């Protein structure tokens, strides 16, 4: 698969290992064409340079999946594993349709031995299912070894994460063959990753570690967001609290930024997977514990929407709000599970008018996301309430309030005096990402609300 994980990961492998031929295959012709063009299908700082250096040398993009399978010694399965929308485990467990069909395809087409590497995030024991499918369908004389090699890169920093990962994790069966396969993959990474950072563990530990890492990271954000609510109610400052607790070397300073809520394709999905797994294992207390991390995130988003309504004199009906940022974080055009979507849905249900500006998100994507978030409202109706703008300044013109939903650097550099002069008065700014200088904005004349900062001192 040539998505957010498979594309950058395999492009970096090609760059760092000129002696290895890397072919990225995907059924989606448009996506492969984009990978072969000057306009890559995903935005990621540094990606273009990597692709340009390796493409045509030892990096190829193709829709000929079968040829790719036949020629490869090692195959990364890096396909979508979205949350199931219907059936058993709907809303929680991962939809493994694509993993299964990719695995079946490998079994059907392979004519020589393969190491099959599970790269997609999948709940525990998927590798085992892949092994069963491969063994039941393989032609005599072909052997398959399965490895789990979860990816830990974050979007927006994918290339630097891949260049110098904190660790590479490889899980294998503890058999001779399993260990040999593991050693082969280790050799690939050892071309640029220090060997002591390449960890080898059992197959299931590897799969569970991926879910565990994301669950612990998301839990940190929900914890700090829970504290941000206390700060707002008491006049404490969440920045100061984060700073103070992060100095404890056991806690550490990273991932303690309060926000309007975490988004992205992974955190919620992986926690819900963990919840489902816990329930399947008859561990309801464990399930409830992790579920609360997601519930706190939902609460944080709705709390923020409510602050906007409350501050604008308890009604936003008919009012005009600019939302700056639509991506789930800065430096990516990805909108999956973005907090901005939930906020805008809330504003629309209060019948406010919303103008959106994001430097990297396509207009078509915004309409898709809003249509999905408001299934009961026809898109034409949504379009009467929503405008998409091509600059931040333009988006804010004549609005009552500006909401910062994504921490894009350019929002810090906006000429806020110019914005203020063109807004309706009183003019409000709601900083859901704690990136603006609230005091400076107040001096200009804005009323400012910041996540995690109370009015009372
Ligand atoms: C996350 C993990 O960080 C990666 O290690 C993992 O590989 C990836 O999921 C995955 O499973 O594929 P990603 O979702 O790309 O990466 O981005 P993050 O940087 O983790 O941010 C997730 C969300 O949390 C964003 O909405 C971000 O704004 C928010 N966040 C992050 C906070 O609100 N506060 C913080 O302190 C950090």
């Amino acid at each position: 698969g040539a998505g957010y994980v498979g594309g950058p990961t395999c492009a970096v492998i090609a760059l760092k290992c000129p002696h290895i031929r890397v072919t990225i295959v995907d059924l989606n012709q448009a996506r492969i064409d984009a990978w072969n063009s000057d306009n890559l299908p995903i935005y990621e700082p540094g990606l273009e340079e990597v692709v340009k250096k390796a493409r045509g040398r030892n990096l190829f993009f193709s829709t000929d999946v079968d040829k790719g399978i036949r020629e490869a010694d090692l195959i990364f399965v890096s396909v979508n594993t979205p949350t199931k929308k219907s059936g058993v485990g709907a809303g929680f467990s991962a939809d493994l349709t694509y993993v299964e069909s990719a695995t079946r395809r490998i079994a059907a087409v392979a004519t020589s031995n393969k190491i099959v590497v599970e790269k997609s995030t999948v709940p525990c024991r998927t590798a085992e299912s892949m092994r069963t499918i491969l063994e039941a369908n393989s032609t005599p004389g072909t052997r398959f070894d399965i490895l789990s090699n979860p990816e830990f890169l974050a979007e927006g920093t994918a290339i630097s994460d891949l260049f110098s990962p904190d660790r590479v994790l490889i899980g294998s069966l503890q058999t001779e063959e399993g260990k040999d396969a593991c050693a082969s993959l280790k050799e690939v990474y050892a071309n640029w990753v220090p060997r002591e950072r390449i960890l080898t563990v059992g197959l299931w530990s590897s799969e569970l570690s991926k879910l565990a890492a994301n669950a612990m990271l998301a839990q940190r954000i929900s914890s700090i967001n829970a504290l941000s609510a206390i700060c707002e109610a008491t006049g404490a400052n969440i920045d100061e609290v984060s700073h103070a607790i992060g100095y404890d070397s056991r806690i550490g300073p990273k991932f303690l930024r309060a926000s309007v809520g975490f988004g992205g394709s992974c955190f919620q999905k992986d926690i819900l997977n963990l919840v489902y797994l816990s329930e399947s294992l008859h561990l309801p207390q464990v399930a409830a514990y992790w579920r609360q991390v997601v519930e706190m995130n939902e609460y944080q988003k709705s709390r923020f929407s409510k602050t906007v309504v409350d501050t604008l004199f308890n009604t936003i009906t008919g009012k005009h709000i600019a939302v700056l940022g639509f991506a789930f974080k800065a430096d990516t055009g990805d909108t999956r599970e973005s907090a901005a979507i939930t906020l805008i849905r809330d504003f629309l249900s209060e019948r406010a008018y919303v103008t959106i500006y994001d430097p990297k998100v396509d207009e078509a994507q915004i309409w898709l996301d809003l249509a999905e978030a408001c299934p009961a409202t026809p898109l034409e109706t949504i379009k009467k309430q929503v405008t998409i703008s091509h600059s931040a300044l333009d988006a804010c013109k004549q609005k009552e309030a500006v909401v910062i939903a994504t921490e894009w650097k350019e929002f810090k550099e906006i000429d806020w005096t110019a914005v203020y002069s063109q807004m309706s008065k009183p003019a409000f700014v709601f900083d859901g990402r704690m990136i603006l200088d609230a005091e400076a904005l107040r001096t200009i004349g804005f009323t400012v609300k910041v996540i995690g900062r109370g009015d009372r001192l």
Side-chain angles (χ1 to χ4, degrees):
Y4 280 94
V5 168
T9 308
C10 292
V12 167
I13 291 177
L15 181 80
K16 298 290 188 182
C17 312
H19 58 290
I20 298 176
R21 186 186 160 94
V22 179
T23 307
I24 301 181
V25 294
D26 197 295
L27 292 169
N28 184 330
Q29 182 75 50
R31 197 185 294 167
I32 290 298
D33 290 347
W35 277 107
N36 279 320
S37 76
D38 282 339
N39 198 4
L40 301 183
I42 61 180
Y43 171 72
E44 196 61 64
L47 176 63
E48 213 172 274
E49 287 91 317
V50 172
V51 170
K52 280 191 175 150
K53 274 190 204 147
R55 195 170 55 192
R57 180 186 76 180
N58 65 327
L59 175 64
F60 303 92
F61 296 90
S62 162
T63 51
D64 194 343
V65 175
D66 291 356
K67 181 162 176 271
I69 293 172
R70 270 194 306 272
E71 290 177 354
D73 300 308
L74 191 146
I75 301 170
F76 287 104
V77 177
S78 187
V79 294
N80 249 0
T81 52
T83 305
K84 275 182 80 171
K85 288 195 172 151
S86 61
V88 177
F92 287 90
S93 81
D95 180 348
L96 298 177
T97 313
Y98 304 112
V99 175
E100 180 168 344
S101 56
T103 310
R104 287 189 182 274
R105 197 75 212 152
I106 294 169
V109 172
T111 49
S112 60
N113 297 352
K114 311 282 174 202
I115 297 174
V116 180
V117 185
E118 173 206 327
K119 195 85 184 142
S120 317
T121 305
V122 277
C124 274
R125 305 207 173 189
T126 306
E128 190 60 31
S129 317
M130 290 171 74
R131 196 157 69 100
T132 311
I133 292 170
L134 288 170
E135 281 171 2
N137 292 287
S138 60
T139 41
T142 40
R143 148 169 203 94
F144 296 105
D145 287 295
I146 301 274
L147 297 174
S148 156
N149 171 222
E151 184 47 62
F152 294 102
L153 69 80
E155 284 177 31
T157 52
I159 300 302
S160 59
D161 292 347
L162 287 164
F163 279 5
S164 42
D166 285 349
R167 77 329 207 159
V168 167
L169 185 62
I170 307 174
S172 70
L173 285 179
Q174 299 304 303
T175 57
E176 279 316 307
E177 295 87 348
K179 287 182 187 161
D180 286 349
C182 182
S184 309
L185 182 57
K186 189 169 176 175
E187 282 317 306
V188 174
Y189 283 108
N191 282 292
W192 79 98
V193 179
R195 282 178 188 274
E196 66 276 11
R197 286 186 181 247
I198 308 177
L199 314 181
T200 55
V201 298
L203 209 47
W204 298 336
S205 298
S206 168
E207 289 184 31
L208 183 59
S209 300
K210 171 67 192 184
L211 291 187
N214 275 351
M216 299 281 280
L217 288 168
Q219 182 202 42
R220 268 172 87 93
I221 304 171
S222 276
S223 298
I224 209 71
N225 283 344
L227 291 164
S228 78
I230 298 182
C231 287
E232 286 166 39
T234 57
N237 177 336
I238 195 65
D239 258 345
E240 293 176 349
V241 175
S242 294
H243 188 68
I245 62 178
Y247 250 77
D248 186 322
S249 61
R250 294 167 303 177
I251 296 174
K254 294 182 184 166
F255 253 71
L256 288 178
R257 220 167 359 95
S259 67
V260 66
F262 61 73
S265 62
C266 302
F267 282 175
Q268 177 171 317
K269 181 186 82 176
D270 287 357
I271 292 174
L272 294 178
N273 263 322
L274 201 57
V275 168
Y276 185 72
L277 184 72
S278 309
E279 266 162 7
S280 316
L281 297 170
H282 308 294
L283 302 167
Q285 290 84 350
V286 178
Y289 177 77
W290 289 110
R291 194 195 305 262
Q292 188 58 30
V293 173
V294 173
E295 282 173 14
M296 183 53 63
N297 197 49
E298 291 306 314
Y299 172 65
Q300 184 76 350
K301 291 186 271 184
S302 63
R303 214 167 60 75
F304 189 75
S305 303
K306 188 170 179 301
T307 302
V308 174
V309 177
D310 290 354
T311 311
L312 290 171
F313 317 110
N314 296 315
T315 176
I316 57 171
T317 303
K319 291 184 180 166
H320 294 80
I321 300 176
V323 175
L324 300 186
F326 195 84
F328 81 95
K329 64 186 278 193
D331 292 324
T332 176
D334 195 349
T335 63
R336 287 175 289 178
E337 305 296 335
S338 177
I341 301 171
T342 314
L343 299 182
I344 294 166
R345 186 203 60 202
D346 291 350
F347 298 156
L348 295 181
S349 73
E350 297 285 342
R351 287 183 286 124
Y353 293 98
V354 177
T355 301
I356 301 166
Y357 167 69
D358 187 286
K360 283 288 169 206
V361 177
D362 291 339
E363 209 163 298
Q365 186 63 47
I366 296 179
W367 295 128
L368 267 176
D369 289 332
L370 293 183
E372 200 186 325
C374 315
T377 318
L379 188 58
E380 301 84 78
T381 313
I382 296 176
K383 285 188 172 177
K384 283 188 191 135
Q385 268 176 281
V386 177
T387 312
I388 298 172
S389 213
H390 296 288
S391 84
L393 204 61
D394 209 43
C396 300
K397 229 174 248 174
Q398 272 136 32
K399 304 301 181 307
E400 269 109 328
V402 178
V403 170
I404 306 284
T406 311
E407 71 281 24
W408 285 103
K409 194 163 155 270
E410 68 169 75
F411 299 157
K412 289 189 216 182
E413 290 148 11
I414 294 174
D415 180 351
W416 285 102
T417 310
V419 169
Y420 184 75
S421 69
Q422 296 174 344
M423 280 178 68
S424 300
K425 308 292 169 353
F428 296 88
V429 171
F430 298 90
D431 185 356
R433 292 291 188 165
M434 305 192 305
I435 56 167
L436 303 178
D437 181 344
E439 274 323 302
L441 291 178
R442 287 191 184 110
T443 309
I444 295 172
F446 286 103
T447 302
V448 187
K449 292 273 177 185
V450 185
I451 282 271
R453 220 164 295 167
D455 299 327
R456 258 188 289 158
L457 282 181

